[in-house]
Amino acid sequence: IANATNPICFLYSTAKAGFVEINITGSTYTWTISSNVAGDYTAYIFDVPTTVSNGHGIKVYDEAASLVFDSENKYMKVIDVFELPPPDGGGETTNTRTYGQNGTYAVGITNPNAFLLLRFNTLFLSSVTCSTNSITITDNGLRDNGYVVDGMGVLSRQKDVPYMVIDVTGY
């Protein structure tokens, strides 16, 4: 995405898919997402709204007369924020979060995390799988061809990684 202010990318996937890296060059953001199985995949990108309103709906302005809310925009609907610890011993671990209402959920992470096994040139990524009422994060659950990550990315996970889940039903 070009001319971005501060975008956040969320992934909806019906099969294991993961973020490999995020590159930022000026105001251009590029996310690399990988999967090695068939499924439905959608990336949702949210940023500071730049569209001009047509004058209908609810609008809220601050004391400087700047528009701070417009009901015509599709805002991020955050439903969950959590951290997951790294897997013990580098093995695969699965963490599922279930929500009370059926919908379409997408997952964003602060920083891609992976383990690079140089001997076999394989990258083990944390993967995301979404269903109508839950999301599943599988640490080291996706394998990809290994290569040097030149953007934001963690090649050796030492600490908890924050995740955010949003409701994108109808988007």
Side-chain angles (χ1 to χ4, degrees), residues 77-145:
K77 295 185 267 184
V78 178
I79 62 163
D80 199 2
V81 176
F82 59 94
E83 290 185 349
L84 294 176
D88 291 334
E92 182 178 304
T93 58
T94 300
N95 301 282
T96 299
R97 308 284 283 209
T98 303
Y99 306 106
Q101 184 173 336
N102 286 349
T104 305
Y105 301 107
V107 180
I109 63 172
T110 57
N111 209 15
N113 57 82
F115 174 74
L116 179 60
L117 189 57
L118 288 173
R119 180 176 178 190
F120 300 105
N121 196 34
T122 302
L123 196 61
F124 292 85
L125 303 167
S126 291
S127 65
V128 172
T129 308
C130 305
S131 72
T132 57
N133 68 345
S134 68
I135 58 96
T136 299
I137 308 292
T138 305
D139 289 314
N140 297 333
L142 180 64
R143 294 181 183 169
D144 197 355
N145 292 333

